[in-house]
Amino acid sequence: MNKLARRLTVVFSAGCFGGLVNSLILCFLGAYGVTADLGIKLAPDLTAEWLYSRLVWGGLWGFLFALPFPRGSDLLRGLLFSLGQSVIQLLVVFPHISHKGLLGLRLGLLTPVLVLFLNALWGICTMLWLKFINEKA
């Protein structure tokens, strides 16, 4: 049981790390006008409330890394797990919760590309953090 608790703690914290990187990059892109230049109306302010929810969700998605599959490329695994977040964001959150249209297209035509990029970044950073922690353990 102790081994399971440790594993769940590690994957949750790794997911939080991925969520932190994802969030900081999004704020950076918004603050420096990159999202506006791409025609995407998404430039969140870095507030504690906004960041907290993204860290928690990143941690919860991190539980996917506790699954024993798929084996193989760590990069591919991180990218595969990031697709779940993208699908939920594009097909549930944007159209039904935040009312930004299917795929968030009311925010701009390149919104789906940004979402896929940021979530891929989450998956890669989460996987890298896991590798770092496992090598140090």
Side-chain angles (χ1 to χ4, degrees), residues 55-131:
L55 292 178
V56 171
W57 278 110
L60 292 174
W61 280 102
F63 286 134
L64 288 173
F65 287 90
L67 297 174
F69 63 91
R71 292 291 175 215
S73 168
D74 290 336
L75 177 64
L76 186 60
R77 189 169 193 234
L79 292 174
L80 177 67
F81 288 156
S82 76
L83 291 177
Q85 288 185 53
S86 297
V87 167
I88 296 299
Q89 184 70 41
L90 296 171
L91 300 179
V92 177
V93 175
F94 280 149
H96 301 294
I97 297 173
S98 61
H99 307 290
K100 301 299 181 190
L102 184 64
L103 306 178
L105 293 178
R106 288 188 191 152
L107 295 171
L109 293 178
L110 291 177
T111 301
V113 175
L114 179 65
V115 168
L116 287 167
F117 167 74
L118 290 171
N119 288 332
L121 188 61
W122 169 86
I124 292 167
C125 290
T126 299
M127 195 74 230
L128 289 173
W129 187 255
L130 285 171
K131 285 183 69 143

